[in-house]
Amino acid sequence: DTIIEINNLSKTYNTANGPYTALKDVSLTIREGSIFGIIGLSGAGKSTLVRCLNGLEPITGGQLTVLGKDVPKLKPAELRELRKSIGMVFQQYNLMPSRTVENNVALPLRKSRLSREQKKARVKELLQLVGLESHARSYPSQLSGGQQQRVAIARALANHPRILLLDEATSALDPDTTKTILELVERLNRQLHLTIIVVTHQMDVVKQICTDVAVIDKGTIVEQGDSFDVFSDP
Ligand code: ADP
Ligand code: ADP
């Protein structure tokens, strides 16, 4: 019931000033069905880790297994498959402004084998899941930040991913909106048995929903455990 296994992973970038090690000796085990928080300051290596996880950035040392797949060994087509099983949500909602909510949610279904009717039904189901069925015909600019992030979550779920990865997904939202988004994420975790990865610099976010936490600093994991252990005083 391990969905992601990372062993002694390292990532060194080649830069104009020579090699730069952004991740060093990172080891993490993410259980299926958990809400796993990865917390660290800006520059700690979170984005690098996220890009390694979905195969966008080749690792330079160690092992990385996602959904039973040895990521460094995957061919480009297999990497594209892997990426479909990880739904991504970012700080900037990245919605297409000229498309309606329903068309934004339908975007990842363009290449799927579903019929037109099946796609419409899937979009409806996704909008219901995030509580936005009444906004199907709205444009992103007509929605609040929290509503736009719900659209982004619905879109991320379109192809039935096993993992939902939130990369600073609540960093642009006020505290009340953040709370409602996190409640939605918790419900999706239970309802869809989705594994959630929450990458953030916000301690409150991790405290509110994560079952497991890893603290990353200067490219290494400095603390790891269930959130009760990590957040209780020694
Ligand atoms: P975070 O997401 O926690 O802010 P990043 O993974 O973006 O951290 O960055 C970690 C470190 O790696 C930073 O010092 C950053 O400048 C460096 N870095 C990130 N991406 C690259 C890259 N493509 N080339 C060189 N250095 C990079
Ligand atoms: P974040 O904090 O969200 O990771 P950054 O501003 O650190 O955002 O990085 C934005 C982009 O710039 C990323 O694609 C990252 O790989 C790249 N990048 C970051 N630092 C460097 C660097 N020192 N050299 C080259 N590319 C970098």
Side-chain angles (χ1 to χ4, degrees), residues 64-234:
L64 173 59
T65 309
V66 178
L67 288 157
K69 304 262 175 15
D70 186 358
V71 177
K73 296 228 171 82
L74 296 180
K75 301 190 181 83
E78 295 170 315
L79 276 176
R80 281 194 296 277
E81 267 319 294
L82 177 76
R83 271 182 222 126
K84 276 194 208 156
S85 47
I86 308 180
M88 301 279 301
V89 179
F90 302 97
Q91 177 170 350
Q92 302 84 0
Y93 324 114
N94 299 334
L95 302 177
M96 306 213 23
S98 63
R99 290 175 184 260
T100 59
V101 164
E102 61 185 359
N103 285 338
N104 268 282
V105 173
L107 279 176
L109 300 175
R110 269 182 312 179
K111 287 182 185 162
S112 85
R113 268 177 264 134
L114 300 179
S115 69
R116 195 182 146 74
E117 286 312 307
Q118 285 170 320
K119 284 181 192 173
K120 282 177 101 169
R122 178 69 183 142
V123 169
K124 192 171 175 205
E125 181 178 52
L126 288 160
L127 288 177
Q128 275 166 357
L129 201 57
V130 301
L132 281 180
E133 56 277 42
S134 62
H135 291 79
R137 300 289 165 86
S138 303
Y139 286 88
S141 62
Q142 297 173 300
L143 304 182
S144 69
Q147 288 171 328
Q148 291 186 59
Q149 197 56 299
R150 283 169 189 265
V151 177
I153 291 171
R155 182 184 55 185
L157 297 176
N159 284 310
H160 299 278
R162 301 267 303 278
I163 300 167
L164 179 66
L165 196 158
L166 308 175
D167 189 353
E168 299 286 359
T170 56
S171 299
L173 303 174
D174 64 62
D176 286 343
T177 309
T178 294
K179 194 157 175 287
T180 61
I181 291 289
L182 296 179
E183 282 162 3
L184 167 64
V185 168
E186 269 186 316
R187 175 162 61 76
L188 296 171
N189 168 254
R190 289 195 303 270
Q191 205 171 329
L192 307 176
H193 200 64
L194 258 182
T195 303
I196 314 276
I197 303 177
V198 180
V199 176
T200 183
H201 70 281
Q202 297 176 303
M203 187 68 89
D204 293 351
V205 166
V206 172
K207 281 190 175 170
Q208 189 180 325
I209 63 164
C210 292
T211 53
D212 302 84
V213 188
V215 183
I216 184 168
D217 183 38
K218 300 188 190 77
T220 63
I221 303 294
V222 293
E223 203 168 352
Q224 184 174 182
D226 70 41
S227 35
F228 181 80
D229 288 339
V230 172
F231 293 123
S232 59
D233 292 320

Side-chain angles (χ1 to χ4, degrees), residues 13 15 20 22 41-49 51 57:
Y13 290 111
T15 75
Y20 177 83
L41 300 174
S42 174
K46 304 183 296 298
S47 304
T48 299
L49 183 58
R51 289 196 303 271
E57 193 76 77

